[in-house]
Amino acid sequence: TPKQNIDVLREVTRAREEENRPYTIVFVGVNGVGKSTSLAKVCYWLLQQRKQVMITACDTFRSGAVEQLRTHARALDVELFERGYGKDPAAIAQEGIRYGKDNGKDVVLIDTAGRMQDNMPLMEALAKLIHFNSPDLILFVGEALVGNDAVDQLTKFNQALQDLTPAGRPSRLIDGIVLTKYDTVDDKVGAAISMVSSTGQPILFVGVGQTYTDIRVLNVDRIAEALMR
């Protein structure tokens, strides 16, 4: 059982109606797990809920990352906020969030560079972005295929974020999980339960294919049914 239950749509509405600001989601994870594609799928899902969404490109490290997001933004017909490469991701995220607020966006989705959990310079940059901008939701994107490896990655991400917390500040850890390639795993339920039980974080979305529509909100009742079969 996850330690917390996150109702994204309710929180988006609360941020907009009570605080007159966009809800901010940061996507993190190791290299090559489909982070940008997962961000685009979540963007599509939010658009289907009639939310005003924009994307902020904070992967200033990987060549082609901004162009990949631009392709997604055009296909989804949403705004992309970017400042190119080699800049400070924390400052770009701050600018993007401010732009989103000034332009009445409901949600700002923030892409970050893929990084191995033991790459300290990149983990420091991620910790700075998170503590500098206090996002509403930090989503770890992991592959269902790798099972326990994804649990290990998430655990080490959390440990690094905790270790890099500035003095006197509360630590910010991963809030939830996006599990990709969920359609390719036979023991889907086992992989999902292993991640939740090991980390205490809920799986909010699963990727079940290649297109923007191939995203599902993970249904706990459905998992329970599968286990009873």
Side-chain angles (χ1 to χ4, degrees):
T1 306
K3 293 174 188 169
Q4 59 179 333
N5 181 34
I6 300 169
D7 185 331
V8 174
L9 291 178
R10 186 179 63 207
E11 293 301 313
V12 168
T13 301
R14 189 189 61 78
R16 166 58 50 217
E17 293 183 355
E18 295 181 17
E19 301 177 29
N20 192 31
R21 64 171 182 84
Y23 186 80
T24 54
I25 306 177
V26 172
F27 291 75
V28 306
V30 301
N31 312 63
V33 294
K35 199 161 46 325
S36 300
T37 303
S38 294
L39 179 151
K41 288 179 178 181
V42 172
C43 181
Y44 174 84
W45 180 79
L46 287 163
L47 291 170
Q48 297 310 297
Q49 316 303 318
R50 302 190 175 177
K51 301 302 177 188
Q52 295 285 323
V53 190
M54 64 170 273
I55 299 171
T56 299
C58 293
D59 182 352
T60 64
F61 183 74
R62 178 175 64 90
S63 175
V66 175
E67 288 75 13
Q68 183 183 8
L69 281 182
R70 187 175 291 120
T71 299
H72 287 311
R74 281 181 183 148
L76 293 162
D77 194 23
V78 298
E79 279 193 84
L80 173 68
F81 185 92
E82 56 94 0
R83 288 288 181 261
Y85 297 97
K87 310 272 180 21
D88 178 12
I92 296 172
Q94 184 184 47
E95 277 189 72
I97 293 167
R98 189 184 303 127
Y99 180 90
K101 182 176 182 180
D102 291 345
N103 288 274
K105 304 300 181 186
D106 297 314
V107 186
V108 176
L109 303 177
I110 299 169
D111 189 39
T112 65
R115 64 203 78 212
M116 296 310 289
Q117 59 272 25
D118 54 2
N119 182 328
M120 286 320 289
L122 281 180
M123 287 306 299
E124 285 168 3
L126 179 62
K128 180 183 175 185
L129 184 151
I130 287 168
H131 290 293
F132 199 61
N133 291 288
S134 300
D136 293 293
L137 190 63
I138 304 168
L139 291 182
F140 178 86
V141 182
E143 283 187 347
L145 284 170
V146 298
N148 287 335
D149 282 353
V151 174
D152 183 56
Q153 291 163 5
L154 196 158
T155 304
K156 287 180 175 170
F157 256 75
N158 266 339
Q159 188 60 54
L161 289 176
Q162 185 150 6
D163 292 345
L164 293 166
T165 301
R169 297 280 298 277
S171 59
R172 269 306 300 277
L173 305 180
I174 307 293
D175 297 307
I177 301 161
V178 180
L179 211 51
T180 67
K181 302 182 181 172
Y182 194 68
D183 55 315
T184 60
V185 182
D186 292 331
D187 185 20
K188 306 181 181 81
V189 173
I193 287 175
S194 172
M195 287 198 80
V196 174
S197 64
S198 300
T199 64
Q201 276 101 5
I203 296 171
L204 297 186
F205 301 98
V206 291
V208 294
Q210 300 297 314
T211 70
Y212 294 136
T213 60
D214 293 325
I215 184 169
R216 303 286 181 271
V217 177
L218 198 64
N219 186 311
V220 176
D221 294 335
R222 206 172 295 151
I223 286 185
E225 278 174 30
L227 284 173
M228 298 301 285
R229 282 181 202 143

